[in-house]
Amino acid sequence: MHMNSERPAVTVLGLGMMGAALAGAFLAGGHPTTVWNRSAGRGDDLVAQGAVRAAAVGDAVAAGQVVVVCVRDYDAVREVLEPVRAALAGRVVVNLTSGTSQEARDLAGWAAGHGIGYLDGAIMMTPQGIGTSEAVILYGGEQELFDESRPVLERLGGGATYLGPDTGIPALYDVALLDIMWSTLNGFLHAAALVGTEKIPATAFVPFATGWLGGVASFLPPMAEQIDAGEYAAHDATLETHLSPLGHLIHESRIRGVDADAPGRTRAMVERAIDDGHAADGYARLIEQMRER
Ligand SMILES: NC(=O)c1ccc[n+]([C@@H]2O[C@H](COP(=O)([O-])OP(=O)(O)OC[C@H]3O[C@@H](n4cnc5c(N)ncnc54)[C@H](OP(=O)(O)O)[C@@H]3O)[C@@H](O)[C@H]2O)c1
């Protein structure tokens, strides 16, 4: 597969909020861009910016050397691609639809069986951030295919991040990063509920929260080294030391009528590690319990 020009023709299938943003970035990068959407009524702005609207998915596929798909889920991707599999042979499909690692690997297998180049990507950005330097998009698939497609993919902003040949890994990183997002957001909401019981506005508390998150982020690299080494000696605070402030958090939550389930679960994990003889270990020891589950 060789891109036959500096600005290869790109097709975008799916013009929801994300697909429209992707197509906009390709247009801004000067790529001949063809767009298609299942339902009519989407993409007028893109056509006004120079995109060609294809009436049928087959026409859209025929127009693009790189075919980007961004629809609701993998079932929808298969519904769109299956009828045009012959036309896709020899082209590169870049699937930026969210899904699981298994779905990504299965679809990669389907593509390989039909002579279709396949890269799977996970978008860690909102549509508004596409095309900016902050956009993070993670890719998996054959290295050669990625290298050839990179100049096109870089139009989406932020550099394109390659995670290796396994097409399932970007989806795994996606959920792992969302895991961090949801835990962090829940921590903030819980903290805001706590200080809110004293009529402290969330806006007054937020600078403390964001400053603290910077500090917490600095805990991660040494923790990661311990996780990889499977060695959890406490270098700052022991699990025993974590136990009493966790108790304070649970107490403050209960007396203020704020849900105490999440800190209760954390305390239960710390207690279990201590019962298992790890009182002098650091917090990273808890990963062993998460793995067991
Ligand atoms: N929005 C974000 O912030 C964001 C961030 C990261 C990743 N993503 C991922 O990007 C993908 C698209 O998200 P979105 O925000 O663009 O969603 P959206 O605005 O709801 O658009 C969904 C798109 O999927 C199409 N679609 C749904 N079922 C289909 C089917 N069976 N056949 C053909 N097309 C079908 C819709 O077409 P119709 O117009 O015909 O309904 C529409 O174009 C999702 O996998 C999402 O998880 C989104």
Side-chain angles (χ1 to χ4, degrees), residues 13-20 22 36-40 42 69-77 79-80 96-99 122-128 174:
L13 306 177
L15 301 178
M17 282 192 255
M18 187 53 88
L22 301 172
W36 172 86
N37 193 65
R38 175 182 60 172
S39 319
R42 294 211 202 234
V69 197
C70 189
V71 289
R72 187 180 54 219
D73 55 24
Y74 275 65
D75 287 344
V77 175
E79 247 178 74
V80 173
L96 296 179
T97 304
S98 305
I123 302 175
M124 310 310 300
M125 181 45 75
T126 58
Q128 291 72 18
D174 188 353

Side-chain angles (χ1 to χ4, degrees), residues 121-168:
I123 302 175
M124 310 310 300
M125 181 45 75
T126 58
Q128 291 72 18
I130 297 299
T132 70
S133 57
E134 279 81 45
V136 174
I137 307 187
L138 311 172
Y139 295 94
E142 210 180 280
Q143 170 101 51
E144 200 184 332
L145 208 55
F146 175 77
D147 290 343
E148 281 162 5
S149 311
R150 184 193 276 270
V152 177
L153 303 177
E154 283 181 342
R155 301 289 178 199
L156 301 177
T161 305
Y162 180 61
L163 298 179
D166 187 334
T167 46

Side-chain angles (χ1 to χ4, degrees), residues 27 29 50 55 57-58 98 100 110 118 151 169 212 214 217 225 234 245 250 252 256-257 276 278:
L27 282 167
V57 65
S98 305
T100 66
W110 172 86
Y118 184 83
I169 299 300
W212 180 232
E225 285 191 19
I250 291 165
E252 287 284 1
R256 291 171 184 278
D276 289 347
H278 304 302

